[in-house]
Amino acid sequence: MVQGSIETQTARQILREPGAPVVVFDHVQLAFDDKVVLRDVSFTLIKGHTKVILGASGSGKSTALKIVVGLLKADAGIVWVNGQRVDQLTEKGLMDVRDDLGMIFQEGALFDSLTVRENVGYKLYEETALPLADIDRRVEEVLGFIGLAEHIGKMPSELSGGQRRRVAIARAMAFKPSIMLYDEATTGLDPITATTVDDEMIKLRDLENVSSIIVTHQLRDAFYVAEHMAMRQGNGEVHVVRATREKEREAEFIMLQDGLIIFEGDADALRTSADPYIRSFLS
Amino acid sequence: MLSLIERWLKASAHETQEYVYLTSAAFYGVFTRPFYRHDIVEQFDQIGAGSLTVVLLAGLFTGAALASQSGLTLDQFGARPVVGRLVSASMIKELGPVLTALMLTGRIGSGIAAEIGSMVVTDQINALRALGTDPVRKLVVPRVLAGIFMAPVLTVIADFIGILGGWVIARFQLQVNSGLYWSSITKGLYIQDVWMGLSKPFVFGFVIATIACHVGLRTTGGTAGVGKATTLSVVAGSVAVIASDFFVTQILIALMY
Ligand SMILES: Nc1ncnc2c1ncn2[C@@H]1O[C@H](COP(=O)(O)OP(=O)(O)O)[C@@H](O)[C@H]1O
Ligand SMILES: [Mg+2]
């Protein structure tokens, strides 16, 4: 008992330090019936860093994110999230882990019977005992941050695709998780809207120290997020500027193909890779 | 051929297992926190108040048709005045519960499966789980509770309106005296009949709602899958209602009569 509490204490301390591993995949495998989706996938997400998962559609990117949140169970391998064995936890135990995970689903997955306000505040309204006034304030704050304050009373069906994506981001960040998982948050958006969504991801990462896993097959957005950073100016204004070399290295790319990781490295390494499959992906 | 049967058996065993698992999870969810009160109230309103019109119409016409038919049969024995007794007994014991349940299967069984099914294929169920909500407590428990408690209420209403429809026919088509019609109802009604008629809809409401939720939650295959789930929910729900009607009737007869 005593030993256990000491151990968790150390685990917590380690997770608080910079450079702590917040998400770890260790030889993860998953198959749907006889279709192998993840053959052997291992990677580590460091606190405050960005992991970009690339891959053709059907390569298992969404599946990997769902494993992180515990929505799917890996057939084999170990999955750590914030020091907890997600692969072993029961649904009840997973609820604690999920308190620190913000997931943006591929198509947004907004609750279409609820308003934008109710969607964004969903977890706070339904799963916490916070005073309503505080929740309302937080929802308005988040929607302001994401630039959708005037749409607070609308239903999701009244929003454009880009707005729905941003509401999904707002819903995931409303309860201040320290890890955000974006599943193709910019796919299908025009370049300008995509950039505003990218900027939100950058701001969350650099201003709130959120660790992120970004799933995409749009390289433009992947490179943009990896190579930019958000800075708060003296007057409080936030600007997204070109990242320093050091900051750039905090974003790591991995490429999935046939259930395996065929590339791992930073933006520069990806750009200069000689692998024919990656080259065809880049062009 | 053998492997086909084997696969079918395995699939149905798996399906049954999942269904039992869902109903026990729902049962557990009824008695433990957290509750989603707002959703429970909403479902009672949707399933109860929302089904009133169809149930009223079905009850009225059934009672009327029943009276007409019984009139013909009873005339052969010169027993036309006891038409009220026949209408009320059939309505309360059998037709009221079963027809109401079938109407509910069509209306709410399909609605539940379509709603939950589309939440599955658009990842809204996963979103609920990711946000820390148990979909069984949030979606299944309110619908099952509403099914269990609103089906009997609607059945009583259908019984009453059916007997009223029977009265219209008895009075104006069969020319039976009103006083005779009503007194034959009260005289011919046994307490066992009432128990029979009241206990069935609890079972039906439970069966309809749990099947619809189960089918909805197991939806796969995108929007087309939602359509299939909706159809399946109505078909499986109707068959289950009729089958469980038979079994509940047998059990109650053994227990009460
Ligand atoms: N629930 C499921 N049942 C069966 N197969 C699935 C399921 N989810 C995903 N798949 C299959 O797994 C593969 C990977 O899916 P996914 O992770 O969504 O790919 P990506 O997000 O990279 O496009 C696909 O071939 C898909 O058809
Ligand atoms: Mg995907």
Side-chain angles (χ1 to χ4, degrees):
Chain A
M1 201 59 228
V2 173
Q3 201 188 356
S5 70
I6 288 171
E7 263 173 37
T8 45
Q9 197 55 37
T10 358
R12 288 230 182 86
Q13 275 166 5
I14 290 170
L15 282 166
R16 233 178 277 132
E17 286 166 14
V22 287
V23 176
V24 180
F25 262 47
D26 188 14
H27 297 291
V28 169
Q29 297 172 27
L30 180 81
F32 291 111
D33 298 323
D34 44 7
K35 185 181 189 319
V36 179
V37 177
L38 302 178
R39 201 174 297 277
D40 182 4
V41 172
S42 303
F43 66 82
T44 303
L45 173 67
I46 304 292
K47 193 185 178 75
H49 287 202
T50 309
K51 184 74 63 180
V52 180
I53 304 183
L54 299 170
S57 67
S59 57
K61 306 183 296 295
S62 301
T63 303
L65 287 190
K66 285 178 182 166
I67 291 175
V68 175
V69 193
L71 299 172
L72 288 174
K73 283 254 184 283
D75 297 334
I78 299 173
V79 180
W80 297 86
V81 175
N82 271 340
Q84 302 235 54
R85 282 285 297 272
V86 167
D87 53 302
Q88 289 183 332
L89 287 174
T90 59
E91 188 73 13
K92 209 175 159 102
L94 281 168
M95 292 304 182
D96 289 335
V97 179
R98 289 170 182 162
D99 284 346
D100 214 17
L101 288 171
M103 170 117 176
I104 289 89
F105 288 85
Q106 194 159 349
E107 301 297 336
L110 297 179
F111 303 127
D112 40 34
S113 58
L114 303 181
T115 62
V116 168
R117 174 195 289 281
E118 291 162 339
N119 262 286
V120 171
Y122 178 85
K123 187 178 176 100
L124 300 174
Y125 287 121
E126 292 281 13
E127 305 297 339
T128 66
L130 293 174
L132 276 186
D134 291 2
I135 302 178
D136 287 343
R137 205 173 316 122
R138 174 66 185 157
V139 170
E140 282 152 25
E141 179 190 12
V142 173
L143 279 170
F145 180 86
I146 216 104
L148 289 175
E150 72 269 35
H151 300 290
I152 192 161
K154 289 192 180 165
M155 300 304 284
S157 56
E158 300 171 77
L159 301 176
S160 72
Q163 290 168 335
R164 293 170 60 95
R165 263 356 131 67
R166 276 146 72 203
V167 172
I169 295 179
R171 181 175 70 182
M173 62 181 274
F175 52 97
K176 299 190 177 168
S178 73
I179 305 170
M180 290 282 274
L181 314 166
Y182 305 91
D183 195 349
E184 309 209 5
T186 57
T187 302
L189 302 183
D190 61 272
I192 294 170
T193 315
T195 306
T196 59
V197 172
D198 292 336
D199 285 344
E200 305 309 337
M201 300 194 232
I202 294 170
K203 281 191 237 166
L204 274 179
R205 179 189 64 195
D206 297 342
L207 305 178
E208 320 269 334
N209 199 28
V210 169
S211 324
S212 357
I213 301 183
I214 299 176
V215 158
T216 183
H217 57 229
Q218 300 203 171
L219 280 163
R220 201 196 72 93
D221 297 306
F223 282 125
Y224 182 87
V225 175
E227 295 173 342
H228 286 78
M229 61 188 214
M231 296 222 302
R232 202 182 286 282
Q233 244 71 24
N235 58 5
E237 265 180 51
V238 175
H239 287 280
V240 175
V241 296
R242 183 81 206 178
T244 58
R245 205 51 209 103
E246 209 170 302
K247 183 77 195 172
E248 251 179 53
R249 250 179 253 119
E250 293 184 359
E252 249 206 331
F253 289 70
I254 57 180
M255 166 113 40
L256 284 177
Q257 191 199 3
D258 294 333
L260 295 172
I261 293 179
I262 58 159
F263 171 87
E264 189 161 16
D266 65 8
D268 271 347
L270 183 67
R271 279 217 165 90
T272 55
S273 165
D275 184 283
Y277 180 78
I278 294 173
R279 292 249 49 100
S280 73
F281 208 89
L282 290 178
S283 56
Chain B
M1 189 62 205
L2 214 67
S3 81
L4 211 70
I5 294 173
E6 193 185 306
R7 216 175 322 145
W8 184 84
L9 282 176
K10 256 189 200 148
S12 15
H14 183 64
E15 197 75 28
T16 314
Q17 189 188 349
E18 293 282 311
Y19 175 75
V20 170
Y21 178 77
L22 179 69
T23 38
S24 40
F27 189 77
Y28 181 67
V30 168
F31 295 104
T32 52
R33 290 177 170 283
F35 305 116
Y36 295 90
R37 270 189 206 86
H38 175 81
D39 295 87
I40 296 177
V41 172
E42 192 180 308
Q43 288 308 317
F44 268 77
D45 180 51
Q46 284 225 344
I47 291 180
S51 310
L52 202 56
T53 325
V54 283
V55 166
L56 282 177
L57 286 173
L60 183 69
F61 286 112
T62 308
L66 197 61
S68 279
Q69 296 279 18
S70 313
L72 282 180
T73 314
L74 289 173
D75 276 349
Q76 296 171 3
F77 308 99
R80 191 183 267 200
V82 298
V83 63
R85 184 168 166 181
L86 217 75
V87 169
S88 76
S90 316
M91 219 41 221
I92 289 173
K93 283 201 288 188
E94 191 64 32
L95 285 174
V98 172
L99 279 177
T100 306
L102 291 178
M103 297 311 280
L104 285 181
T105 314
R107 200 185 157 277
I108 62 166
S110 61
I112 290 173
E115 186 182 6
I116 295 184
S118 59
M119 289 184 78
V120 169
V121 300
T122 56
D123 264 337
Q124 289 179 57
I125 300 289
N126 277 333
L128 277 179
R129 290 170 65 202
L131 288 165
T133 296
D134 177 354
V136 173
R137 293 173 186 276
K138 172 91 179 162
L139 301 172
V140 179
V141 168
R143 282 163 179 76
V144 172
L145 282 179
I148 291 178
F149 290 106
M150 289 323 280
V153 174
L154 291 166
T155 300
V156 170
I157 294 172
D159 291 348
F160 180 73
I161 204 84
I163 293 171
L164 204 67
W167 168 77
V168 172
I169 292 295
R171 172 72 188 75
F172 297 102
Q173 192 183 54
L174 304 174
Q175 315 295 342
V176 172
N177 177 288
S178 286
L180 210 58
Y181 180 83
W182 292 109
S183 72
S184 83
I185 285 178
T186 40
K187 248 186 269 159
L189 201 62
Y190 297 97
I191 190 71
Q192 286 97 325
D193 299 349
V194 176
W195 280 124
M196 171 86 84
L198 275 181
S199 40
K200 278 180 181 181
F202 283 98
V203 177
F204 296 162
F206 171 83
V207 165
I208 295 167
T210 47
I211 288 183
C213 289
H214 167 75
V215 170
L217 282 173
R218 287 180 59 76
T219 305
T220 52
T223 340
V226 178
K228 276 187 203 148
T230 311
T231 312
L232 178 60
S233 163
V234 174
V235 172
S238 310
V239 172
V241 162
I242 292 169
S244 60
D245 177 54
F246 171 76
F247 290 112
V248 173
T249 305
Q250 298 307 314
I251 292 170
L252 290 180
I253 286 177
L255 287 179
M256 297 192 311
Y257 290 84

